[in-house]
Amino acid sequence: MGIVQRRYCILICFSLLLGETLAQIPVIPDSAANLNTDFHFQLTTVSQSHSTFNSPYSGSNSLISDEPAAMTLTATIFWGIQLGKLGDFYINPEIAGGSGISSAKGIAGFTNGEAFRVGDPSPSMYMARVYLQHTFNLGGEEEYIGENANQVNKTRSSRYFEITAGKFSIADFYDKNTYSHDPRSQFMNWSLMSGGGWDYPANVRGYTWGVHLEYGHPGWAVRTAVVLVPQEANGNEMETNVSQARSHALEFEKSFHLAKQPGKIRLLGFYTLANMGNYNRALLSQPVGPDITAVRAVGSRKYGLLINAEQKVGR
């Protein structure tokens, strides 16, 4: 059985630094002279199908042996604006629809990393991200950050402290990898876009609310976050009682050079407290046909450790 897939990605970027002449633009009022804003738009469709295969047994969570092709569509507006001393504000309206093959079931490392954003096959619009980010420059050499999706055009000192608060994806800041992290433009398999051992806290579409802190230093960085978790696995409603449900992340990142080529290694630890099931409890209470959802309990814990490394090998 082979999977045939097609991916189409459209990325439109527009950035404007008001008050500086990047193009022939009208005179800007003094009140907006230092306003730095950018706008990006991305639309991605993924179409997948597979050949018919023999399936002598199957269940509700199996890959369907004979099914039509499936397609997902996701589109996001990335808009950022620099608010002076208040920091940088980002807002991302998003639309998602469609379905993965077999409704994203039957394959452990599912083949379409965009399928997790689709909570409903019918296209629906929602607010993916809305957060404020403030950077404190602590000295050292000035570094040009540039602009990108959810990154306004700016410079930052080599030593800095950054606070981010609001709604975002925790994967925006943790377990990142230059070469394998974004299913819209890189590897699409769920097991390659993030560490397979980290069930990172998020609603059904991959987002959460919380606070992220990061300290950067030449050659290394350390970051930590505390965020909300959903009331139930893959749910959309977040649990706001943080005394009983929340998730923590702590990551250390070290930069290095190997054969004059840059690389990075990241060590990530996570701890989650939530209304979750437990495999041991499920097996002990139900030796035959255990159901982990039947043993969910408030205050259940899970934790783990990940290592993520990247190394450039050519130009």
Side-chain angles (χ1 to χ4, degrees):
M1 185 273 292
I3 294 177
V4 178
Q5 56 191 28
R6 298 179 179 86
R7 173 173 58 192
Y8 305 92
C9 179
I10 299 173
L11 176 63
I12 300 174
C13 310
F14 172 74
S15 64
L16 178 64
L17 181 60
L18 300 176
E20 295 188 14
T21 306
L22 297 183
Q24 294 299 320
I25 56 176
V27 176
I28 305 301
D30 291 342
S31 60
N34 296 318
L35 187 63
N36 182 5
T37 184
D38 66 40
F39 177 89
H40 291 246
F41 170 78
Q42 186 169 34
L43 183 149
T44 303
T45 65
V46 178
S47 177
Q48 296 184 326
S49 63
H50 64 80
S51 57
T52 302
F53 60 93
N54 182 38
S55 179
Y57 58 90
S58 63
S60 59
N61 293 321
S62 299
L63 184 69
I64 299 172
S65 61
D66 186 8
E67 62 176 326
M71 184 184 76
T72 60
L73 180 148
T74 54
T76 310
I77 292 174
F78 303 89
W79 182 59
I81 183 169
Q82 195 172 53
L83 301 178
K85 294 182 179 180
L86 291 178
D88 307 325
F89 178 72
Y90 299 97
I91 186 169
N92 294 175
E94 189 167 78
I95 186 170
S99 176
I101 54 176
S102 298
S103 299
K105 298 177 181 178
I107 305 175
F110 194 69
T111 55
N112 181 358
E114 281 295 276
F116 78 91
R117 300 183 194 277
V118 181
D120 188 332
S122 300
S124 56
M125 182 172 286
Y126 52 91
M127 191 59 66
R129 299 176 181 87
V130 53
Y131 63 88
L132 185 68
Q133 186 175 80
H134 190 89
T135 303
F136 298 89
N137 292 313
L138 303 180
E141 185 178 348
E142 288 291 312
E143 300 175 340
Y144 175 66
I145 303 301
E147 66 86 29
N148 208 328
N150 285 342
Q151 179 56 69
V152 295
N153 190 16
K154 67 178 183 180
T155 59
R156 184 179 66 193
S157 65
S158 59
R159 290 190 298 111
Y160 65 89
F161 180 67
E162 194 167 79
I163 300 176
T164 303
K167 186 179 184 182
F168 49 79
S169 170
I170 195 170
D172 294 339
F173 308 105
Y174 296 83
D175 193 36
K176 297 177 68 174
N177 191 291
T178 303
Y179 311 104
S180 181
H181 193 61
D182 183 3
R184 291 182 171 184
S185 58
Q186 298 172 326
F187 297 108
M188 294 190 292
N189 193 292
W190 284 18
S191 300
L192 295 175
M193 66 185 191
S194 296
W198 185 32
D199 181 19
Y200 66 83
N203 63 11
V204 67
R205 301 189 189 278
Y207 304 104
T208 184
W209 291 84
V211 177
H212 159 73
L213 308 176
E214 178 170 321
Y215 174 74
H217 191 276
W220 59 273
V222 62
R223 54 188 66 96
T224 187
V226 57
V227 299
L228 301 183
V229 297
Q231 294 178 358
E232 59 181 45
N234 296 321
N236 197 43
E237 298 298 323
M238 308 304 286
E239 178 57 68
T240 56
N241 185 352
V242 294
S243 65
Q244 296 185 344
R246 61 188 183 276
S247 186
H248 302 262
L250 176 65
E251 183 177 70
F252 176 77
E253 176 183 285
K254 173 65 177 175
S255 301
F256 59 87
H257 282 80
L258 184 63
K260 297 183 179 180
Q261 297 287 358
K264 289 183 179 181
I265 186 167
R266 302 173 181 88
L267 182 63
L268 167 66
F270 63 90
Y271 174 83
T272 300
L273 181 70
N275 180 24
M276 299 180 291
N278 179 281
Y279 288 115
N280 287 333
R281 289 200 301 263
L283 289 170
L284 290 173
S285 62
Q286 307 163 74
V288 179
D291 180 5
I292 193 170
T293 63
V295 293
R296 284 177 177 163
V298 175
S300 296
R301 295 169 170 81
K302 62 179 175 182
Y303 49 87
L305 192 67
L306 298 176
I307 297 178
N308 176 331
E310 64 180 67
Q311 174 62 52
K312 186 176 181 180
V313 295
R315 293 184 178 180

